[in-house]
Amino acid sequence: IAGITQAPTSQILAAGRRMTLRCTQDMRHNAMYWYRQDLGLGLRLIHYSNTAGTTGKGEVPDGYSVSRANTDDFPLTLASAVPSQTSVYFCASRETSADTQYFGPGTRLTVL
Amino acid sequence: SQKIEQNSEALNIQEGKTATLTCNYTNYSPAYLQWYRQDPGRGPVFLLLIRENEKEKRKERLKVTFDTTLKQSLFHITASQPADSATYLCALRGGATNKLIFGTGTLLAVQP
């Protein structure tokens, strides 16, 4: 693994189903982020984690939850998916001492 | 309200010309501003960071300016190439946190 990986690459999901998007990084970055990207709205922060064991809410957290059990993994869960959660989801990480973020390849999620 | 604005219209230029992209913001006093490149179907990739006490930053064919009075950053690509075609996002640090606020991006198309 090099950098950040996300899984799945894409998913079609029925409304009401539970879904977990996976994110793993091998750079030992303390901070990790989940964004959604929608046409015309840009990247919006869903949840973040400054270090393992801590999480925080971003701009659009409703309907999503995260956990940070260790440094490498930062899964995003949709407890009961709704069509408005159709989007492209990006995970990112940041080294504590730096300001730039490194992004994963994204997960394209369609909720029907 | 706080806003970051990038030209939503695509910028079409001829190969070899200089491309100039604009990022304007209101109601922020960012410590720094970043520019990212995003190719279709991929995550953003960091390009440059400029701090509030810096007027200009260069990296190879890229140049960024930051005018905190005008609340504006300009991103220049000199001697543009078709391979420079992508969406370019500006992002700034929102408040006292390390969370980034992204603009919606500007699509640059360099014609051969």
Side-chain angles (χ1 to χ4, degrees):
Chain A
I1 298 177
I4 297 182
T5 58
Q6 293 185 237
T9 302
S10 66
Q11 182 76 43
I12 298 174
L13 190 67
R17 298 297 294 268
R18 180 184 179 90
M19 176 74 191
T20 295
L21 308 185
R22 299 185 298 279
C23 174
T24 299
Q25 53 107 355
D26 65 354
M27 298 175 283
R28 308 301 293 171
H29 288 172
N30 280 324
M32 296 188 74
Y33 307 86
W34 274 106
Y35 296 89
R36 59 177 290 172
Q37 188 173 39
D38 303 287
L39 195 63
L41 296 176
L43 282 161
R44 293 181 292 168
L45 183 65
I46 304 170
H47 284 288
Y48 66 94
S49 169
N50 287 327
T51 190
T54 69
T55 62
K57 294 182 180 180
E59 180 185 356
V60 288
D62 294 343
Y64 306 93
S65 64
V66 291
S67 62
R68 188 86 185 277
N70 56 62
T71 298
D72 299 343
D73 301 299
F74 192 41
L76 176 74
T77 297
L78 289 67
S80 179
V82 295
S84 62
Q85 292 177 310
T86 294
S87 187
V88 181
Y89 291 85
F90 289 100
C91 179
S93 71
R94 179 181 63 83
E95 185 181 339
T96 303
S97 59
D99 298 315
T100 63
Q101 294 187 13
Y102 296 83
F103 284 81
T107 292
R108 181 174 294 275
L109 181 68
T110 302
V111 182
L112 301 176
Chain B
S1 62
Q2 297 173 318
K3 283 198 306 183
I4 302 174
E5 293 183 334
Q6 295 185 255
N7 193 339
S8 59
E9 296 181 5
L11 178 63
N12 291 285
I13 65 167
Q14 205 68 29
E15 182 176 8
K17 301 292 186 182
T18 295
T20 298
L21 286 69
T22 304
C23 177
N24 295 298
Y25 59 93
T26 57
N27 295 326
Y28 284 110
S29 296
Y32 57 75
L33 190 145
Q34 302 183 22
W35 284 88
Y36 288 77
R37 169 183 172 143
Q38 187 174 22
D39 292 285
R42 311 192 73 160
V45 175
F46 170 77
L47 295 175
L48 281 169
L49 180 151
I50 186 165
R51 300 195 181 277
E52 59 180 341
N53 60 347
E54 298 175 315
K55 295 294 185 187
E56 181 180 297
K57 184 75 74 74
R58 292 176 183 262
K59 178 182 176 182
E60 297 173 352
R61 295 184 295 113
L62 308 181
K63 185 179 83 171
V64 173
T65 63
F66 193 11
D67 190 324
T68 55
T69 300
L70 292 178
K71 294 187 181 294
Q72 180 182 78
S73 176
L74 299 179
F75 177 81
H76 306 272
I77 305 176
T78 59
S80 61
Q81 305 165 0
D84 295 326
S85 299
T87 295
Y88 291 86
L89 309 172
C90 71
L92 53 79
R93 177 175 163 178
T97 69
N98 284 316
K99 295 193 285 284
L100 287 179
I101 311 298
F102 283 85
T104 55
T106 298
L107 176 62
L108 172 67
V110 181
Q111 309 298 331

